[in-house]
Amino acid sequence: MALGRASQQLDLLDPVTRFCDESLPANPIFGFLHEHRETLFPDGMFADLFAAVGRRSVPPSVVAAVMVLQRLEGLSDREATDRFTFDVRWRYAAGVGGWDGTGRAGFAHTVLVDLRERLRRSDRPDRIFEVALTAARNAGLIGRRRVLDSTPLYDAVATMDTITLIRSAVRGLLTVVDAGLAAGLRSVLHSGDDYASSAKPVIDRADKPAREALIDSRARDGHALLAALDGLQDLPEPVVQAAQLLATVLGQDLETGAGGVLRIARKVATDRVISTVDPEARHGHKTNHRGFDGYKGHLAVDPDSELVTATAVTAGNTGDVEPVADLITDLTDPTDPAGTDPASTDPGGDAAALYGDAAYGAGEILQRLDTAGIEAKTKVQPPVAPAGKFTKDRFDIDLEHQQVACPNGTVAPIRPVKDHARHAGKADFGKACATCPLRGQCTDARTGRSITIGRYEARLAAARTRQQDPAWRADYRATRPKVERKIAHLMRRRHGGRRARMRGRLRIAADFSLLAAAVNLARLATLGLTHTTRGWTLTIA
């Protein structure tokens, strides 16, 4: 399919355009896209996605505008194309008015599917997000401060129990192999299950031996299939992936009981696959008391303009620290990946700063920020101790002399430990605790109190001291909540809520990026951004 191009000849007498020009409010997203669609999303920006010759596509500048409006309203593909066909505001925003000059009153919903897939496979899958952000940068709206946070994204599939996972993985493997190999694999199955249906086998659920026999027989079928595939060469990639998924499912939930019977283990695997339909989804916990199944959406926000500057999506069990480097690339990468002049992004010369809750107060983050010259405005958790005993900050840790003094004045040397990756040393007070008058307030351990020294002990201690400053706390309280408001805005029901609209991390990440781009464009429209011969600028009321 070749690149289609939108008509540049606008009909000044088009009734749709004239009606919307006269009726729409001053700065809606519809008017903003109508005026600047060709500047934001020129058809040539998508040229690498199409062939040089072939049937002309729907102009991608038109489709991009529809994608933005679709994501703002949380619509399905069919609903979005219906809106484009029958809602004059959508046609006005897409620049086609009452007629698009090609004989089409609309287009099929598969056009949206096709363009999303072409973008996903390209070298710049997030170009719509980048365009919105570049316009804001050129207008001087993006400063050098960032606020980070994450939010759950609930998966679009049902979480499976163990027997459903095993049967689904077996059925998936039997589906992707060719007919000859499938016949050989089915010959090793001895449970009597043909795996033709996704429905659970009918048994008496109150009969414990029947439940155990069901698990054991299907698990043995799975192991038999893997054994039959072992040693075969040049298996197609879909077969390899299906076999790996089956091996993962069998290994995560089962243990060998009495008599060699395979049964469900009384534990939850750390990285448990929860669905064969979406194998990348995971159990997650936003707090200790609130769990979810799916993914985490991470974002960085400029607190002054309230624009999203970066997004990322990870599995639900991923910590908030992991994607930080990608979220602040525009602050740390001297090559300026956004392709803009650094001076234009920091007109006031403000120092770079990063805000975040205690999830971003880890020592490795503090070190990364210090190395990059970014001021850390992230909270650091205070030290804790069980049963109200003396916390770690009651001890005087002297890293220069490699010693620790306890509240009673006893000094112990810091000795090396085996776990160098996490700890820099350990101070044991041992026998001194036996006669210490403060022992009851310090420890109940028979061997006495010990203090573990982390690799980032000095940075964490300095951060805890810094966050006690009233000015620091006032700045944090004034800035940090802005990312919470932005998350609430992104996750509102109008935009589709927290439920993922796709399956698989990459597709969900692309959709989350598109949502951020759409919200950013709506924000720019509200701020009065416009394009002139000198570039993007804010209109002066």
Side-chain angles (χ1 to χ4, degrees), residues 260-285:
V261 174
L262 295 171
R263 65 186 185 188
I264 298 177
R266 294 182 176 275
K267 62 179 181 179
V268 177
T270 304
D271 197 38
R272 184 177 187 268
V273 173
I274 63 176
S275 171
T276 58
V277 180
D278 189 355
E280 294 179 290
R282 294 292 185 271
H283 294 305
H285 289 276

Short mmCIF file of all heavy atoms in Angstrom, two decimals, residues 260-285:
data_model
loop_
_atom_site.label_atom_id
_atom_site.label_comp_id
_atom_site.label_asym_id
_atom_site.label_seq_id
_atom_site.Cartn_x
_atom_site.Cartn_y
_atom_site.Cartn_z
N GLY A 260 4.84 -39.35 44.46
CA GLY A 260 5.19 -38.77 43.18
C GLY A 260 4.05 -38.07 42.47
O GLY A 260 4.15 -37.76 41.28
N VAL A 261 2.95 -37.81 43.18
CA VAL A 261 1.80 -37.15 42.58
C VAL A 261 2.09 -35.65 42.43
O VAL A 261 2.57 -35.00 43.37
CB VAL A 261 0.54 -37.36 43.43
CG1 VAL A 261 -0.63 -36.56 42.88
CG2 VAL A 261 0.19 -38.83 43.49
N LEU A 262 1.81 -35.10 41.27
CA LEU A 262 1.98 -33.67 41.03
C LEU A 262 0.75 -32.94 41.56
O LEU A 262 -0.39 -33.28 41.22
CB LEU A 262 2.16 -33.41 39.54
CG LEU A 262 3.44 -33.98 38.91
CD1 LEU A 262 3.42 -33.85 37.41
CD2 LEU A 262 4.66 -33.30 39.49
N ARG A 263 0.98 -31.93 42.37
CA ARG A 263 -0.13 -31.20 42.98
C ARG A 263 0.20 -29.71 42.99
O ARG A 263 1.35 -29.30 42.75
CB ARG A 263 -0.36 -31.69 44.40
CG ARG A 263 0.80 -31.41 45.33
CD ARG A 263 0.60 -32.02 46.70
NE ARG A 263 1.67 -31.63 47.61
CZ ARG A 263 1.84 -32.14 48.83
NH1 ARG A 263 1.00 -33.07 49.27
NH2 ARG A 263 2.83 -31.73 49.61
N ILE A 264 -0.82 -28.91 43.30
CA ILE A 264 -0.63 -27.46 43.35
C ILE A 264 0.18 -27.10 44.60
O ILE A 264 -0.15 -27.52 45.71
CB ILE A 264 -1.98 -26.73 43.37
CG1 ILE A 264 -2.75 -27.03 42.07
CG2 ILE A 264 -1.79 -25.23 43.52
CD1 ILE A 264 -4.13 -26.42 42.03
N ALA A 265 1.23 -26.32 44.41
CA ALA A 265 2.06 -25.90 45.53
C ALA A 265 1.35 -24.82 46.35
O ALA A 265 0.59 -24.01 45.80
CB ALA A 265 3.40 -25.37 45.02
N ARG A 266 1.58 -24.83 47.64
CA ARG A 266 0.97 -23.83 48.52
C ARG A 266 1.84 -22.57 48.57
O ARG A 266 2.38 -22.19 49.61
CB ARG A 266 0.79 -24.40 49.93
CG ARG A 266 -0.21 -25.54 49.98
CD ARG A 266 -0.41 -26.05 51.40
NE ARG A 266 -1.43 -27.08 51.46
CZ ARG A 266 -2.73 -26.85 51.57
NH1 ARG A 266 -3.16 -25.60 51.64
NH2 ARG A 266 -3.60 -27.84 51.61
N LYS A 267 1.98 -21.95 47.42
CA LYS A 267 2.77 -20.73 47.31
C LYS A 267 2.39 -20.05 46.00
O LYS A 267 1.73 -20.64 45.14
CB LYS A 267 4.27 -21.03 47.33
CG LYS A 267 4.70 -21.91 46.15
CD LYS A 267 6.19 -22.19 46.17
CE LYS A 267 6.60 -23.05 44.96
NZ LYS A 267 8.04 -23.31 44.95
N VAL A 268 2.81 -18.82 45.84
CA VAL A 268 2.62 -18.10 44.59
C VAL A 268 4.00 -17.75 44.04
O VAL A 268 4.80 -17.10 44.73
CB VAL A 268 1.80 -16.81 44.79
CG1 VAL A 268 1.67 -16.05 43.48
CG2 VAL A 268 0.41 -17.14 45.34
N ALA A 269 4.29 -18.21 42.83
CA ALA A 269 5.59 -17.95 42.23
C ALA A 269 5.81 -16.45 42.08
O ALA A 269 4.87 -15.68 41.83
CB ALA A 269 5.69 -18.64 40.87
N THR A 270 7.07 -16.02 42.22
CA THR A 270 7.39 -14.60 42.17
C THR A 270 6.99 -13.96 40.85
O THR A 270 6.46 -12.84 40.82
CB THR A 270 8.90 -14.41 42.40
OG1 THR A 270 9.26 -15.02 43.65
CG2 THR A 270 9.26 -12.93 42.43
N ASP A 271 7.24 -14.64 39.76
CA ASP A 271 6.97 -14.08 38.43
C ASP A 271 5.91 -14.92 37.72
O ASP A 271 6.06 -15.31 36.57
CB ASP A 271 8.27 -14.05 37.62
CG ASP A 271 8.18 -13.12 36.41
OD1 ASP A 271 7.56 -12.06 36.54
OD2 ASP A 271 8.72 -13.47 35.35
N ARG A 272 4.81 -15.19 38.40
CA ARG A 272 3.81 -16.13 37.92
C ARG A 272 3.08 -15.62 36.67
O ARG A 272 2.57 -14.50 36.65
CB ARG A 272 2.78 -16.40 39.01
CG ARG A 272 1.73 -17.45 38.63
CD ARG A 272 0.79 -17.73 39.79
NE ARG A 272 -0.09 -18.83 39.46
CZ ARG A 272 -1.30 -18.68 38.91
NH1 ARG A 272 -1.75 -17.46 38.65
NH2 ARG A 272 -2.05 -19.72 38.62
N VAL A 273 3.06 -16.45 35.63
CA VAL A 273 2.23 -16.19 34.47
C VAL A 273 0.78 -16.40 34.88
O VAL A 273 0.44 -17.43 35.47
CB VAL A 273 2.60 -17.13 33.31
CG1 VAL A 273 1.63 -16.98 32.14
CG2 VAL A 273 4.02 -16.86 32.83
N ILE A 274 -0.09 -15.45 34.59
CA ILE A 274 -1.48 -15.54 35.06
C ILE A 274 -2.46 -15.82 33.93
O ILE A 274 -3.64 -16.06 34.19
CB ILE A 274 -1.89 -14.25 35.80
CG1 ILE A 274 -1.84 -13.05 34.85
CG2 ILE A 274 -1.02 -14.03 37.01
CD1 ILE A 274 -2.33 -11.75 35.49
N SER A 275 -1.98 -15.81 32.69
CA SER A 275 -2.86 -16.09 31.56
C SER A 275 -2.03 -16.50 30.35
O SER A 275 -1.01 -15.86 30.06
CB SER A 275 -3.71 -14.86 31.20
OG SER A 275 -4.41 -15.06 29.99
N THR A 276 -2.45 -17.55 29.66
CA THR A 276 -1.76 -17.93 28.42
C THR A 276 -2.19 -17.04 27.26
O THR A 276 -1.53 -17.01 26.22
CB THR A 276 -2.06 -19.39 28.07
OG1 THR A 276 -3.48 -19.56 27.93
CG2 THR A 276 -1.54 -20.32 29.15
N VAL A 277 -3.29 -16.33 27.42
CA VAL A 277 -3.74 -15.41 26.38
C VAL A 277 -2.88 -14.15 26.36
O VAL A 277 -2.62 -13.57 25.31
CB VAL A 277 -5.22 -15.05 26.58
CG1 VAL A 277 -5.71 -14.09 25.51
CG2 VAL A 277 -6.07 -16.30 26.59
N ASP A 278 -2.44 -13.72 27.53
CA ASP A 278 -1.54 -12.57 27.66
C ASP A 278 -0.43 -12.96 28.63
O ASP A 278 -0.47 -12.63 29.82
CB ASP A 278 -2.30 -11.35 28.17
CG ASP A 278 -1.45 -10.08 28.11
OD1 ASP A 278 -0.26 -10.18 27.75
OD2 ASP A 278 -1.99 -8.99 28.41
N PRO A 279 0.59 -13.68 28.14
CA PRO A 279 1.61 -14.25 29.05
C PRO A 279 2.48 -13.22 29.75
O PRO A 279 3.20 -13.56 30.68
CB PRO A 279 2.46 -15.13 28.11
CG PRO A 279 1.64 -15.33 26.88
CD PRO A 279 0.80 -14.11 26.76
N GLU A 280 2.44 -11.96 29.32
CA GLU A 280 3.28 -10.94 29.94
C GLU A 280 2.60 -10.26 31.13
O GLU A 280 3.26 -9.52 31.87
CB GLU A 280 3.67 -9.88 28.90
CG GLU A 280 4.56 -10.42 27.79
CD GLU A 280 4.90 -9.36 26.77
OE1 GLU A 280 4.00 -8.95 26.01
OE2 GLU A 280 6.06 -8.93 26.73
N ALA A 281 1.31 -10.48 31.32
CA ALA A 281 0.61 -9.90 32.48
C ALA A 281 1.06 -10.60 33.76
O ALA A 281 1.39 -11.78 33.76
CB ALA A 281 -0.89 -10.03 32.29
N ARG A 282 1.03 -9.87 34.86
CA ARG A 282 1.50 -10.39 36.14
C ARG A 282 0.63 -9.90 37.29
O ARG A 282 -0.09 -8.91 37.18
CB ARG A 282 2.96 -9.95 36.41
CG ARG A 282 3.99 -10.52 35.46
CD ARG A 282 4.16 -12.02 35.65
NE ARG A 282 5.22 -12.57 34.83
CZ ARG A 282 5.08 -13.02 33.59
NH1 ARG A 282 3.87 -12.98 33.02
NH2 ARG A 282 6.10 -13.51 32.92
N HIS A 283 0.71 -10.63 38.42
CA HIS A 283 0.13 -10.14 39.67
C HIS A 283 0.94 -8.92 40.10
O HIS A 283 2.18 -8.95 40.11
CB HIS A 283 0.21 -11.19 40.77
CG HIS A 283 -0.62 -12.41 40.52
ND1 HIS A 283 -1.98 -12.36 40.27
CD2 HIS A 283 -0.28 -13.73 40.50
CE1 HIS A 283 -2.44 -13.58 40.11
NE2 HIS A 283 -1.44 -14.43 40.25
N GLY A 284 0.26 -7.85 40.48
CA GLY A 284 0.95 -6.66 40.95
C GLY A 284 0.36 -6.16 42.26
O GLY A 284 -0.74 -6.55 42.66
N HIS A 285 1.10 -5.30 42.94
CA HIS A 285 0.63 -4.71 44.20
C HIS A 285 0.98 -3.23 44.18
O HIS A 285 2.16 -2.86 44.15
CB HIS A 285 1.29 -5.38 45.41
CG HIS A 285 0.80 -6.77 45.66
ND1 HIS A 285 -0.35 -7.05 46.38
CD2 HIS A 285 1.29 -7.96 45.27
CE1 HIS A 285 -0.53 -8.34 46.42
NE2 HIS A 285 0.45 -8.93 45.76
#
